[in-house]
Structure formats: C-alpha cells, structure tokens
Amino acid sequence: RSRALRRLMEDRGLHAVYQPILDVRQGRHFACEALIRGPQDSELHTPAQLFAAAAAEQCTHELEWLAVETAILQFAEQHCALRLFLNMSIGCLHASRKRLVAVRQDLLRLGVPPSRIVIELTENESVTDFSDLQETLLDFRKIGIQIAMDDMCEGFSNLRMWSEVRPEFVKIDRHFVSGIDTDPLKLHFVRAMHEIADACGSALIAEGVETAEQMAVLRELGI
C-alpha cells in the first residue's frame, strides 16, 4: 500500500467528486463540497483508505494539499459560480500558511476568486494555542477565504472552537437532523444553535437531510 500511495501521489492520480449544498429558502444551489477519491476498485479509493496509508507514511499534510489542489483544478474546469468547500485539518492549515500568496495567485489565474473558497476544518484535534490558530485563520481571511466547522455538536470542545474561530459557516451533525421533525429535544438543540449562529454571524448548514418532513422543519427555522 505504501508503494501504491507514493505512485498515486507522484502521478497525481486523485480525483474529486462534489456534493451539493442547497439554499432551501431561495431554492438554488449555494455551494458544493469536494470529496476526494483514489482510483476506482483500488485499495486506495476511499478517503479513509487514502489517509490511513498517508498516516502510516507520515505524509498526511502532503496528501491533504494534493487533494485540495486536485479539487480546485477540477472545479475550475467546470467554470462553476458556486462556493467550493474544501476539507482541511488544522495541522495542514498551519502548514499551508506560507503558501497563501501563491495560492491567491493560482486561484485568480484559474478564474476562481478566493472569496468563493471555504476551508472546512475537519479535525477534532486538541487546540492548545487559539491565538496561533486565529492568526493563521486571519491570514486566510485576508485573501478572501472563508472558514467552516464540520460536525458541530459532536463534543463540547466544538463550542469552544466556535467561539474562538467565529466561522462563517457551521455544519450541524446529521445526528441532530435525523428525526428533528419528531424529537422535540433535537429541535430544541438546533434552535439553540441557530440563535448562537445569529449572534456570532455564522450560517448553519444541516447535513443528512433525508425526508420532506426534516426539510420543512429546517426551512421553518431558517437553516
């Protein structure tokens, strides 16, 4: 698997698929999230397989950055006017800070304004220095890139992250979306999150909406 991963990275053999994010109030596509894949029918097809192999080879950040580049290049080829959500760990975010001037130039050359890029923080790693994280995020925001948090409500630490990071977008974990139309407690949690989001200027995104009833509740809440 180690040799296969290195060959895959050298040949830039990754590709991205794109999951739509909908604005239900306006009835339109709002953005899409890039999801990385390896070759079909290979032992490195899924993200879990890819990043497990990268962790074993201690090249996770290198793979993450290649995934980001791949997703942006494919996205640019579609001449799509939506926002693009890109998954990135906090560690890779810090490591990428020195590339930002080149990143901005590359995005503009490809016809993708940085204001249409949203970095989605995917890793629930322990953050001990929030001031350092805020400085890194400020550098990204200075060139127009926005920030999203994933899987909100998976743990209390996420509430601290939300208050420190002040993300432009927050994704509600699908656990709280499933059954929101029948479970008063889940509805109460999501309503409270919506109030917090309004207070700190974040937009909520509900993940895992599967029924018309769930959609109706979320639309009524304004999510």
Side-chain angles (χ1 to χ4, degrees):
R1 181 178 283 195
S2 168
R3 208 171 307 139
L5 176 67
R6 285 295 176 185
R7 190 181 315 116
L8 177 66
M9 293 175 68
E10 288 169 5
D11 295 343
R12 304 182 72 87
L14 300 176
H15 69 277
V17 295
Y18 298 88
Q19 178 169 276
I21 300 173
L22 307 178
D23 183 336
V24 296
R25 291 166 297 183
Q26 297 189 30
R28 63 180 180 85
H29 287 80
F30 168 76
C32 60
E33 177 185 357
L35 306 170
I36 205 66
R37 298 288 185 269
Q40 187 76 31
D41 300 323
S42 79
E43 61 178 352
L44 295 174
H45 175 60
T46 69
Q49 293 168 322
L50 281 165
F51 283 98
E57 290 299 303
Q58 299 183 329
C59 62
T60 301
H61 291 169
E62 185 180 348
L63 178 64
E64 278 192 69
W65 191 253
L66 180 59
V68 165
E69 288 182 332
T70 299
I72 291 172
L73 286 170
Q74 281 186 214
F75 181 77
E77 289 171 358
Q78 303 304 313
H79 304 289
C80 178
L82 300 177
R83 283 179 172 85
L84 175 62
F85 280 61
L86 299 166
N87 295 300
M88 188 178 288
S89 69
I90 291 172
C92 187
L93 193 81
H94 284 307
S96 305
R97 189 176 177 182
K98 60 182 178 293
R99 307 185 190 203
L100 283 178
V101 172
V103 167
R104 180 180 180 277
Q105 292 173 343
D106 288 343
L107 286 170
L108 293 174
R109 177 177 53 80
L110 291 168
V112 181
S115 59
R116 280 170 40 207
I117 299 295
V118 182
I119 298 297
E120 186 172 326
L121 304 180
T122 60
E123 204 170 276
N124 278 332
E125 61 189 277
S126 177
V127 178
T128 57
D129 189 343
F130 277 100
S131 61
D132 188 38
L133 175 58
Q134 288 165 346
E135 286 179 11
T136 295
L137 293 176
L138 181 60
D139 284 348
F140 277 80
R141 284 169 164 147
K142 279 179 179 176
I143 68 168
I145 291 175
Q146 295 180 307
I147 304 300
M149 277 182 56
D150 194 16
D151 294 334
M152 189 59 205
C153 280
E154 277 203 334
F156 290 113
S157 62
N158 273 347
L159 292 174
R160 170 77 189 274
M161 279 284 289
W162 193 351
S163 68
E164 297 281 0
V165 169
R166 302 293 176 97
E168 284 78 14
F169 303 95
V170 174
K171 287 189 170 181
I172 307 170
D173 184 74
R174 63 189 303 128
H175 167 77
F176 290 90
V177 174
S178 176
I180 192 174
D181 53 310
T182 57
D183 188 330
L185 186 57
K186 287 185 177 181
L187 176 60
H188 189 76
F189 269 115
V190 174
R191 185 177 284 125
M193 287 180 63
H194 196 213
E195 291 178 4
I196 296 170
D198 281 347
C200 66
S202 301
L204 290 184
I205 297 173
E207 294 190 299
V209 182
E210 295 180 345
T211 70
E213 291 77 15
Q214 293 167 7
M215 176 75 83
V217 172
L218 293 164
R219 184 186 287 115
E220 185 178 341
L221 289 173
I223 295 172

